[in-house]
Amino acid sequence: MPLLWLFLIVLAIAATAFVLSRSRVLAMSGQDRRTLHSLPNYYGSNAAMKSAIPALLVLVIWLLAQPFYVNNAVSGMIPDSAIADSSSRGLVLAEVRRAADGLDLAVARGEMSEDEARNLRTDFTDVTTRLENAGAIVTSQITQPILRAAQRFRVMNTIGSQIMAVVVLLIALAGAFWAFRETDPVFRARNTVEQGIRALLIAAASIAILTTLGIVLSLVFNTIEFFRLYPASEFFFGTNWAPSFSGRGGASDLGILPLLWGTFYISIVALIVAVPIGLFAAIYLSEYASPRVRAFAKPMLEVLAGIPTIVYGLFALLTVGPLLVEVFGDDGLGWMQSGTAVMTAGLVMGIMLIPFVSSLSDDIINAVPQSMRDGSYGLGATQSETIRQVVLPAALPGIVGAILLAASRAIGETMIVVLGAGAAARLSLNPFEAMTTVTAKIVSQLTGDSDFASPEALVAFALGMTLFVITLGLNIFALYIVRKYREQYE
Amino acid sequence: MTDASMDSAPVKGRLTTVDARTRKRNAAEKRFKAYGLVAILIGLFFLVVLAVSILRSGLPAFTQAEVQVEFTLTQEEFDAAESQMLKTRAYEDLFIAALQGQLEERGLEVAFDPAAIERLLGKTGGTIREFFLENPDRIGTPVTFDLAASSRVDGYFKGRVTRDTVVDSRFLMVSDLDLVDALADAGIITSSFNWNFITGSDSGVDNPGGAGIGVSVIGSFFMMLVVLALSLPIGVAASIYLEEFAPQNWFTDLIEVNISNLAAVPSIVFGILGLAVFIQFMHLPQSAPLVGGLVLTLMTLPTIIISTRASLKSVPPSIREAALGVGASKMQTVFHHVLPLAAPGILTGTIIGLAQALGETAPLLLIGMVGFIARAYPEGVVSGFIDPNSAMPAQIYTWAARADAGFYEKAWGGIIILLIFLLTMNIIAIILRRRFERRW
Amino acid sequence: MYDAPHYTTQETAVTDVKIKAKDVQVYYGENHAIKDVSVEIENNTVTAFIGPSGCGKSTFLRCINRMNDTIDICRVEGDILIDGDDIYDKRVDPVQLRAKVGMVFQKPNPFPKSIYDNVAYGPKIHGMARNKAELDDIVERALRRGAIWDEVKDRLQAPGTGLSGGQQQRLCIARAVATEPEVLLMDEPCSALDPIATAQVEELIDELRQNYAVVIVTHSMQQAARVSQKTAFFHLGYLVEYDDTSKIFTNPEDSRTESYITGRIG
């Protein structure tokens, strides 16, 4: 792994720079440390920092940029004629990458010499078979343009990596040399190091922004790509969801409405379960429960929140679903055909959300000042009158915020609906029918497929975008309400 | 009772007699309180139901019906078998003879044919031949074979399959159950602890009995290493910046808004991010614990940052003032004094964040950790990070998606193991908090 | 027994005992907060409880309408009788009691509702009005008695929290009198108010005396001297001295009272 080696060498340079600068400043101080501006270790750290950080930064940027550059260069080599009608440039490029990987593998296994790998031609040898023999994954016959592009791809990558190694090492050495030169007893090493650490801290904090940016960009680009292949109006207003399974066919109906309906229906069932139970539980815990009951019941309820969603998914599929079928199925009331249904998923999701609603509402009810309650008791109100007519109205904005957060949770929940709601997209009012959701379809459209060129795969990004926008809107609104509410009583 | 004149209002009566209206109000009070209690009890009831169904359906995964047959292979028999065309068939015949002998020894006589044995135990001949080819020195000495019974026989043993539900098929005939009963009476077929489930790897879709969760535990382990190695330093650094250094400006606000929103973004969206950025854009290997770890890191960071900031905030300002007062720099104050004092809280928050990440499934579906059959342990540390593997929750999902009751049992069993890990982590977090929590 | 101050002479003649406490003990968990307090509070009188912080005067006040019930660890022993009924009797419902014994708190605590709803809340829960017109009537009367009617009559639907501090406190007094209590307890009702609002509330308290037995806890000795006819001095959980206000402030019998009045303790 040359990358690992490069990384280790840079670290070694940094370590050496640390030791050298430290001993240099000690020597210059004439064994009297008090003449130094900073502690000796700061001089060493300064050198290590200046040699390692710029070099590693360049390394990361290079690693991100190189595939971009190489892809563009290789993509230019593929004539439009080499792209079949049913295919796209992206698919062909993926093919090129696989061929290149195959060549790498063949060389590594000694089935091919490096020279051969560079100069092979499909006219003279059956490359496809040879690569298959070497254990590479080849999905179709390798044509000459693809092979040439693959060879170019390999060469550019190799040269790129070599240049990168040289550049990174030079930067590391230059940094070490610079730090070594500026090391002398009056140099303010501590301040410099602290500024460096501060920059690192800022960088760490910025990762939150980068993550959001990454989410938005990966959704936006692929969504735009999707709308190029599939009309946006049909996506947003289509009432039919029927992706064709062949993959590349244009006969898919990709309307989001049935999925949104399923999502909202299941979420509403979940909230109908979770909100009354959660709210009453919160009221009981914060207003009535003795400390001992509270110390027991609150963590117990919160255990429900700590259970992974896969467990709830399995619970829905294997326990709740069959149970509901027994009652509402053909042997019982005859409303339900199979265990996976809106009711199943909604019920289980509701159970999952109970602690979410209850602990948020608990916090909010506790934030209502005691003086409010005293005022009511002082007038001779009973506890329940006080709660219903004074505490709850005062806490209402906060509770609405909590419910909105729970709704956003329900809309974004995946595992329960994947396992419990079924796979059929339909617009129906019967809660005992199987329906599907946005999240479940994201999973089914993206699982197992690594090429994102077909509308059937890309639609998942448009679904993800819709999901992201809805949940983000709900969250921002809910957090705004909750914050306003808290400010009121602070 | 609601006289117009306020002097005759109900509250004017004697205190010791409770009037009708108050009685009504008190009844309403009791009802309201009961609603609350019922709500709590419903919540706890769900918890109990969940726990019971996990245990009831999952515990059988830890046992496996096994057939123990003592078997002596003579040199002649070995040579004769090896000279035949259908070598494994010859071993099978020998095995059946041995089995019959053992039954007769116990005075039981049941007729059975090789096909029934195959349905019960799979291809026994191959297993036996392999053993003797590998250990030729054992020829001529008695060897005890522990052979796992097929998934349906196992199910019959655990009550999942009964005589009423079983349908004749190439997997199991109703008549085979007589043989199973006889073998059980003879003590030849017994239920024993299924180590393979804990240490083994996933099996193919047609062999639920041989499926184990061990390899995916290792996958989860490597993922958690990545999450720990990245989210702890980054999360602590980000929290220190926001809590101790950040000026009040638009950039800080932007970070704060981002963190609080990321904490509520659905996990599946992080999966999309991982797919698009790490796999599509950076070409990192699919199904690799490294990618899973990266995605889960991004997902866990907001949680860790929020809890770390809370523990930093709980260190009183007087500590900072004391350090600054003796001439420490702001950076030294934070790293020498504030951070060590906040460390237990940070650690607790990190463990809880890790536990959350360990149970997360949805993002793993998108980066290809599902449906993948994790057959072998990784060969080394590097391979552990970048070779395709599964993870515990992904493995459970894979099993749940296979329509075979044998795999459902494994899925529940996997959940028990997953929950044991989560429970352990949470208990450690609670102990840490109890031991090191400091009230200022 | 002793010389009654001139301005209470008439009242003393017509007053009768409204609240009678005998050997009251209050415990907060292990802490013995009120020790052996016996006192007789008269009707149509303003009685002031004074004493240094933590002396138990507020705690004792909250015993009179059983507000301490809402605190789990609090335990009350001894008898408190209102009109001869023991309010800690098992048969007494604290809800009914509190309608009879109104309370005004230290910090104005209007509900986050309209002014009208704030005042109408008590009459509504106690079922004192048959219809809207009656309720309107009760609310108006209470607001007039709270001396705030003129300031709010045009904006009864505005939120009560939007009023100034002094107005809020008078609204809370109006809210308390709306349930037609017989006793009005006030826990430092002016401590969160500015001097002008304080003066208005003090004036109001003096008017309220016509209809109720008013008990007021105060930190300010001047206030006690201004508004009350009787004063009780609490110290370390004991009721040290209880007498006519003029007597307490001019000629206290106990040396601790004197020290407090003259500013040596507290």
Side-chain angles (χ1 to χ4, degrees):
Chain A
M1 235 203 141
L3 202 61
L4 187 65
W5 278 110
L6 187 61
F7 181 69
L8 290 179
I9 292 172
V10 170
L11 288 191
I13 292 173
T16 318
F18 179 94
V19 174
L20 286 179
S21 293
R22 190 177 183 277
S23 45
R24 175 180 154 103
V25 79
L26 277 178
M28 284 168 95
S29 72
Q31 299 310 314
D32 184 2
R33 286 170 180 229
R34 280 171 303 176
T35 60
L36 298 179
H37 170 269
S38 315
L39 293 172
N41 277 347
Y42 279 108
Y43 293 91
S45 304
N46 177 45
M49 186 176 87
K50 282 186 176 147
S51 56
I53 288 171
L56 293 180
L57 210 63
V58 168
L59 178 68
V60 169
I61 292 171
W62 195 295
L63 282 176
L64 290 177
Q66 183 172 315
F68 239 3
Y69 178 75
V70 173
N71 264 352
N72 277 339
V74 171
S75 172
M77 285 176 64
I78 301 174
D80 286 337
S81 59
I83 300 168
D85 285 342
S86 60
S87 184
S88 73
R89 191 164 285 273
L91 282 178
V92 175
L93 275 178
E95 197 79 50
V96 168
R97 272 197 298 276
R98 268 198 299 272
D101 286 347
L103 288 172
D104 282 341
L105 195 69
V107 173
R109 292 201 174 181
E111 306 249 347
M112 236 182 244
S113 70
E114 185 60 46
D115 262 0
E116 246 187 306
R118 284 193 189 180
N119 303 318
L120 269 180
R121 293 183 56 113
T122 44
D123 331 9
F124 304 127
T125 19
D126 185 1
V127 181
T128 316
T129 338
R130 285 193 61 185
L131 289 184
E132 268 169 4
N133 288 342
I137 304 155
V138 182
T139 48
S140 64
Q141 194 68 28
I142 293 173
T143 58
Q144 183 58 25
I146 289 183
L147 183 64
R148 280 197 37 221
Q151 286 164 342
R152 178 98 187 113
F153 182 82
R154 287 190 67 221
V155 170
M156 286 183 76
N157 266 338
T158 320
I159 295 177
S161 305
Q162 282 162 353
I163 300 177
M164 176 183 76
V166 173
V167 169
V168 167
L169 290 181
L170 279 179
I171 291 175
L173 286 174
F177 183 69
W178 173 35
F180 188 70
R181 281 288 303 278
E182 71 183 354
T183 300
D184 72 70
V186 292
F187 174 62
R188 300 185 166 206
R190 199 200 62 207
N191 306 40
T192 318
V193 169
E194 286 186 350
Q195 260 165 19
I197 294 177
R198 204 186 152 103
L200 283 181
L201 296 183
I202 294 178
S206 310
I207 285 189
I209 298 179
L210 286 182
T211 309
T212 311
L213 204 66
I215 290 175
V216 171
L217 288 184
S218 54
L219 288 174
V220 165
F221 277 124
N222 286 300
T223 305
I224 290 174
E225 187 71 26
F226 170 67
F227 285 142
R228 213 172 276 158
L229 297 169
Y230 192 89
S233 60
E234 279 178 43
F235 171 71
F236 284 118
F237 303 110
T239 54
N240 193 19
W241 175 270
S244 77
F245 291 101
S246 62
R248 319 250 178 280
S252 294
D253 277 332
L254 300 172
I256 195 177
L257 288 181
L259 307 187
L260 278 182
W261 170 241
T263 306
F264 287 125
Y265 203 176
I266 291 174
S267 305
I268 286 167
V269 172
L271 290 178
I272 287 175
V273 173
V275 170
I277 298 180
L279 199 55
F280 270 109
I283 289 171
Y284 189 84
L285 284 179
S286 59
E287 302 282 328
Y288 288 108
S290 66
R292 274 176 61 198
V293 171
R294 192 178 154 87
F296 168 76
K298 199 171 151 69
M300 276 301 156
L301 279 184
E302 274 161 12
V303 166
L304 281 175
I307 291 173
T309 53
I310 177 77
V311 180
Y312 284 108
L314 213 62
F315 185 58
L317 177 70
L318 300 178
T319 308
V320 176
L323 212 69
L324 287 178
V325 168
E326 221 160 88
V327 181
F328 299 104
D330 287 335
D331 298 339
L333 293 164
W335 296 344
M336 204 169 175
Q337 299 307 318
S338 79
T340 52
V342 168
M343 207 58 186
T344 314
L347 200 64
V348 174
M349 204 188 280
I351 296 174
M352 183 192 81
L353 290 177
I354 290 172
F356 195 75
V357 174
S358 79
S359 59
L360 274 175
S361 312
D362 190 21
D363 289 351
I364 282 158
I365 290 173
N366 279 331
V368 174
Q370 182 62 31
S371 69
M372 219 59 103
R373 295 183 182 85
D374 282 349
S376 179
Y377 296 145
L379 291 170
T382 63
Q383 213 167 347
S384 66
E385 283 160 353
T386 304
I387 294 164
R388 272 181 304 173
Q389 300 184 35
V390 176
V391 176
L392 286 186
L396 192 65
I399 290 173
V400 169
I403 293 173
L404 287 181
L405 283 179
S408 137
R409 262 283 172 94
I411 289 171
E413 173 50 41
T414 309
M415 293 322 293
I416 294 176
V417 291
V418 165
L419 287 169
R426 61 164 70 91
L427 283 162
S428 155
L429 278 172
N430 182 359
F432 294 100
E433 247 178 304
M435 280 181 218
T436 195
T437 67
V438 174
T439 49
K441 282 302 149 193
I442 292 176
V443 170
S444 68
Q445 297 308 109
L446 281 184
T447 306
D449 202 348
S450 58
D451 293 327
F452 311 111
S454 64
E456 284 77 16
L458 282 171
V459 69
F461 292 97
L463 293 176
M465 188 84 204
T466 316
L467 180 69
F468 182 68
V469 169
I470 293 174
T471 51
L472 192 70
L474 272 177
N475 288 335
I476 291 179
F477 187 51
L479 288 177
Y480 170 80
I481 291 181
V482 171
R483 190 172 316 140
K484 269 264 130 61
Y485 167 74
R486 277 179 206 271
E487 278 166 8
Q488 187 189 332
Y489 292 120
E490 256 165 21
Chain B
M1 62 181 211
T2 47
D3 272 19
S5 128
M6 307 228 305
D7 293 279
S8 55
V11 290
K12 297 282 168 183
R14 277 182 72 89
L15 278 173
T16 41
T17 50
V18 175
D19 61 76
R21 186 184 168 81
T22 311
R23 234 175 281 133
K24 232 169 82 186
R25 285 170 61 197
N26 283 342
E29 168 75 21
K30 280 215 183 73
R31 276 200 304 278
F32 189 78
K33 193 170 167 181
Y35 295 151
L37 195 59
V38 167
I40 300 242
L41 291 178
I42 291 176
L44 296 180
F45 169 74
F46 282 140
L47 186 64
V48 171
V49 170
L50 196 58
V52 167
S53 67
I54 290 172
L55 287 178
R56 238 188 50 186
S57 325
L59 284 179
F62 292 89
T63 57
Q64 165 75 36
E66 268 182 2
V67 173
Q68 270 191 342
V69 179
E70 204 185 80
F71 187 69
T72 315
L73 187 77
T74 60
Q75 189 65 44
E76 296 85 63
E77 282 169 334
F78 178 71
D79 294 337
E82 283 299 310
S83 63
Q84 282 186 25
M85 271 289 277
L86 290 166
K87 298 188 179 67
T88 55
R89 188 56 194 267
Y91 285 101
E92 217 164 291
D93 290 341
L94 288 170
F95 172 78
I96 289 167
L99 190 61
Q100 214 136 24
Q102 274 188 21
L103 277 174
E104 273 163 21
E105 233 170 76
R106 290 177 170 85
L108 291 158
E109 202 148 332
V110 198
F112 51 84
D113 59 306
I117 289 295
E118 209 165 282
R119 286 194 295 269
L120 259 51
L121 298 174
K123 303 225 181 283
T124 52
T127 323
I128 295 169
R129 176 167 181 250
E130 244 167 60
F131 176 82
F132 283 113
L133 284 180
E134 272 174 33
N135 308 293
D137 51 313
R138 301 293 297 271
I139 295 173
T141 57
V143 180
T144 309
F145 283 96
D146 293 330
L147 297 165
S150 78
S151 139
R152 306 216 175 190
V153 174
D154 190 43
Y156 176 67
F157 244 70
K158 293 167 184 165
R160 194 177 67 229
V161 177
T162 62
R163 279 173 186 271
D164 305 324
T165 59
V166 82
V167 181
D168 279 357
S169 71
R170 67 189 174 85
F171 300 114
L172 191 67
M173 312 284 273
V174 179
S175 56
D176 296 342
L177 295 176
D178 299 332
L179 173 60
V180 175
D181 286 341
L183 289 172
D185 286 342
I188 293 176
I189 189 164
T190 52
S191 196
S192 59
F193 192 79
N194 189 357
W195 278 110
N196 180 55
F197 177 64
I198 292 173
T199 58
S201 61
D202 192 10
S203 61
V205 277
D206 48 359
N207 177 20
I213 201 168
V215 173
S216 55
V217 170
I218 298 298
S220 278
F221 172 74
F222 277 105
M223 249 166 45
M224 288 305 113
L225 279 188
V226 175
V227 176
L228 183 64
L230 290 177
S231 65
L232 182 58
I234 295 177
V236 170
S239 314
I240 288 178
Y241 177 71
L242 291 174
E243 209 51 54
E244 307 282 341
F245 294 100
Q248 270 296 334
N249 60 17
W250 64 269
F251 184 70
T252 310
D253 286 346
L254 185 69
I255 295 176
E256 303 253 9
V257 168
N258 267 300
I259 289 173
S260 57
N261 283 321
L262 280 178
V265 165
S267 58
I268 185 89
V269 173
F270 283 96
I272 296 183
L273 168 79
L275 180 69
V277 173
F278 297 129
I279 293 178
Q280 197 185 10
F281 181 69
M282 292 191 190
H283 297 294
L284 290 175
Q286 269 209 348
S287 317
L290 174 67
V291 178
L294 286 173
V295 173
L296 293 181
T297 299
L298 295 182
M299 226 188 71
T300 324
L301 262 180
T303 320
I304 293 188
I305 291 178
I306 289 168
S307 70
T308 303
R309 289 184 68 177
S311 5
L312 287 175
K313 214 176 273 177
S314 72
V315 177
S318 59
I319 302 273
R320 293 179 183 80
E321 281 157 14
L324 290 173
V326 295
S329 72
K330 181 102 206 217
M331 200 64 80
Q332 286 167 326
T333 304
V334 171
F335 281 92
H336 296 171
H337 299 282
V338 180
L339 200 54
L341 288 172
I346 295 174
L347 226 54
T348 309
T350 307
I351 293 173
I352 288 170
L354 278 185
Q356 236 176 49
L358 184 66
E360 192 56 61
T361 322
L364 304 184
L365 300 182
L366 295 192
I367 56 162
M369 285 192 126
V370 163
F372 175 80
I373 299 180
R375 284 199 194 279
Y377 281 95
E379 285 146 18
V381 176
V382 174
S383 136
F385 284 118
I386 61 172
D387 280 357
N389 200 336
S390 192
M392 267 189 279
Q395 183 69 69
I396 292 167
Y397 173 75
T398 307
W399 284 335
R402 290 180 189 161
D404 182 330
F407 279 117
Y408 290 161
E409 182 186 288
K410 299 286 171 184
W412 286 113
I415 279 176
I416 292 182
I417 294 196
L418 178 65
L419 289 181
I420 288 175
F421 276 104
L422 292 183
L423 203 66
T424 315
M425 291 168 87
N426 277 298
I427 287 173
I428 292 174
I430 290 171
I431 290 174
L432 267 179
R433 188 177 309 167
R434 289 259 165 88
R435 275 211 56 186
F436 295 105
E437 191 177 50
R438 209 186 285 235
R439 291 239 167 262
W440 300 95
Chain C
M1 264 195 321
Y2 36 74
D3 295 326
H6 69 278
Y7 59 85
T8 53
T9 318
Q10 280 187 321
E11 278 81 11
T12 336
V14 298
T15 48
D16 51 339
V17 173
K18 183 75 187 172
I19 306 167
K20 189 171 172 181
K22 226 175 136 247
D23 299 330
V24 175
Q25 321 278 344
V26 179
Y27 301 87
Y28 280 115
E30 293 297 297
N31 181 18
H32 195 173
I34 296 282
K35 298 158 192 161
D36 302 321
V37 170
S38 302
V39 68
E40 287 181 358
I41 290 166
E42 293 162 8
N43 210 352
N44 302 102
T45 308
V46 177
T47 306
F49 288 177
I50 61 168
S53 301
C55 65
K57 55 194 189 302
S58 283
T59 304
F60 184 68
L61 187 78
R62 292 167 71 96
C63 289
I64 301 175
N65 70 345
R66 291 182 61 174
M67 279 300 279
N68 286 331
D69 286 15
T70 58
I71 300 162
D72 291 325
I73 54 162
C74 183
R75 197 156 46 85
V76 180
E77 285 171 11
D79 301 319
I80 300 178
L81 299 117
I82 294 183
D83 292 339
D85 287 330
D86 180 4
I87 63 168
Y88 282 91
D89 188 297
K90 271 198 184 62
R91 289 168 300 172
V92 172
D93 193 314
V95 166
Q96 245 174 306
L97 168 71
R98 287 178 199 144
K100 196 167 173 164
V101 183
M103 184 154 189
V104 175
F105 297 84
Q106 190 168 354
K107 250 178 77 184
N109 55 350
F111 303 133
K113 297 167 179 274
S114 71
I115 293 170
Y116 181 92
D117 286 338
N118 259 287
V119 181
Y121 176 73
K124 263 190 204 159
I125 55 173
H126 293 295
M128 291 168 65
R130 261 187 306 212
N131 53 41
K132 180 80 171 69
E134 264 179 38
L135 192 62
D136 288 350
D137 207 40
I138 294 174
V139 169
E140 182 180 339
R141 219 169 335 155
L143 284 170
R144 279 185 195 284
R145 223 178 271 178
I148 192 179
W149 171 251
D150 291 330
E151 289 157 71
V152 299
K153 64 179 175 217
D154 302 322
R155 45 173 174 152
L156 288 175
Q157 294 311 319
T161 43
L163 298 171
S164 75
Q167 287 173 324
Q168 282 188 12
Q169 193 61 303
R170 276 179 286 147
L171 174 66
C172 290
I173 294 173
R175 190 177 68 186
V177 301
T179 56
E180 289 293 308
E182 294 163 26
V183 177
L184 202 55
L185 308 176
M186 296 183 155
D187 192 353
E188 301 185 32
C190 299
S191 67
L193 304 183
D194 61 49
I196 295 172
T198 302
Q200 286 169 324
V201 171
E202 281 179 6
E203 206 174 310
L204 176 58
I205 292 172
D206 200 49
E207 284 168 27
L208 292 171
R209 181 160 64 94
Q210 313 295 329
N211 300 297
Y212 315 102
V214 179
V215 184
I216 175 169
V217 163
T218 176
H219 255 309
S220 147
M221 282 174 281
Q222 288 83 348
Q223 186 173 57
R226 280 195 300 266
V227 300
S228 70
Q229 290 77 51
K230 301 280 259 183
T231 296
F233 172 64
F234 284 78
H235 189 233
L236 300 174
Y238 293 102
L239 174 61
V240 175
E241 195 169 349
Y242 176 53
D243 216 322
D244 282 354
T245 300
S246 51
K247 173 88 174 7
I248 292 267
F249 280 95
T250 51
N251 188 17
E253 282 178 7
D254 196 288
S255 59
R256 286 169 294 177
T257 316
E258 192 183 341
S259 303
Y260 181 69
I261 304 280
T262 52
R264 261 175 290 162
I265 54 172

